[in-house]
Amino acid sequence: MPVFWLILLVLIIAAVGYVLGRRRALASAGSDQRVLHSLPSYYGWNVALTVMTPAFGLMFLWLLVQPVWIDGRIADQLPESAIPEGTSQSLVMSDVRRVSNGLGLLVQQGFLSEDEVSDLIAGQSEIRKKLGDVGVALGSDVAPDVLVAAKQYRELANTGSTAMSVVVLLVALGGFALAYLVTNKDFRARNIVELGILLVLIGAASIAILTTVGI
């Protein structure tokens, strides 16, 4: 699932959580807002934030870690013959990533099917020209080992993206269920929401600082 649609689904779950959380709090107070510990909106935001914060946090970490993990795994599988004299493994991996992204574009734009991508053989399918048609420029023909690695890279990336979508949605739904079930008129929603926002701001600031110093 594309990241855009995954983000949209999480936001929809959060929006539904806001409405239902607010409604549940009012229902537990007999629709008398004065009985609530916090304003009704805080109960809604508590559910929404409990959906979004862990789900988006996990998604962010996944998107950071997955490419590094795939790079390492594919690089370890590259035979020495795949690294020509005078070049390096990092340069070969750069070609692998470009070819992998190009194969994805060929499928997305309807030039090839998944089965046709699986059947591609280096040197026999004008792969370089096909990739050029979708804007992926290569300095030379695609080597057999690079094509094999690119296919493996794409397969791992697709599997990882599918797993991320499933896990993120489960986390979002789990957060929804947890926050919804604890919602009642005595729940200190304002305290929890304010603490949650503070932690999010601290986390965002820490990421910004680490990015600035290049860590």
Side-chain angles (χ1 to χ4, degrees):
M1 177 187 299
V3 173
F4 172 81
W5 292 112
L6 181 58
I7 291 174
L8 184 60
L9 282 175
V10 172
L11 291 176
I12 290 173
I13 295 172
V16 172
Y18 177 89
V19 173
L20 295 183
R22 188 177 186 278
R23 184 180 300 173
R24 180 177 173 86
L26 285 170
S28 70
S31 299
D32 185 355
Q33 182 174 325
R34 295 170 299 176
V35 179
L36 295 173
H37 173 274
S38 308
L39 292 173
S41 60
Y42 280 106
Y43 294 92
W45 277 114
N46 176 62
V47 180
L49 288 174
T50 307
V51 169
M52 292 187 293
T53 304
F56 287 148
L58 175 61
M59 185 189 308
F60 177 77
L61 289 175
W62 198 300
L63 291 173
L64 283 179
V65 173
Q66 178 175 296
V68 177
W69 179 79
I70 294 177
D71 268 22
R73 181 163 179 177
I74 297 299
D76 289 342
Q77 294 177 359
L78 279 176
E80 293 184 5
S81 59
I83 306 174
E85 186 177 352
T87 186
S88 65
Q89 186 182 73
S90 61
L91 290 175
V92 175
M93 283 302 302
S94 180
D95 285 341
V96 169
R97 287 190 294 271
R98 280 204 299 272
V99 173
S100 176
N101 292 334
L103 295 177
L105 290 173
L106 288 171
V107 172
Q108 290 174 16
Q109 297 182 22
F111 287 96
L112 294 176
S113 67
E114 290 289 354
D115 289 338
E116 288 173 329
V117 168
S118 298
D119 293 338
L120 285 177
I121 300 175
Q124 298 183 12
S125 306
E126 298 182 345
I127 300 174
R128 184 181 177 188
K129 181 180 181 302
K130 292 179 184 293
L131 294 174
D133 290 339
V134 292
V136 179
L138 297 174
S140 60
D141 291 335
V142 180
D145 289 329
V146 170
L147 179 60
V148 170
K151 290 181 181 180
Q152 293 174 339
Y153 193 104
R154 184 166 177 269
E155 183 178 346
L156 288 174
N158 288 341
T159 301
S161 295
T162 300
M164 180 185 71
S165 298
V166 172
V167 174
V168 167
L169 288 176
L170 287 176
V171 169
L173 291 172
F176 173 94
L178 177 63
Y180 182 78
L181 290 175
V182 301
T183 298
N184 59 68
K185 62 183 178 62
D186 298 319
F187 183 71
R188 298 176 177 271
R190 177 180 175 179
N191 304 60
I192 300 299
V193 169
E194 290 178 346
L195 176 60
I197 292 175
L198 177 61
L199 292 176
V200 169
L201 291 175
I202 291 174
S206 299
I207 292 172
I209 292 173
L210 293 175
T211 303
T212 300
V213 300
I215 296 180

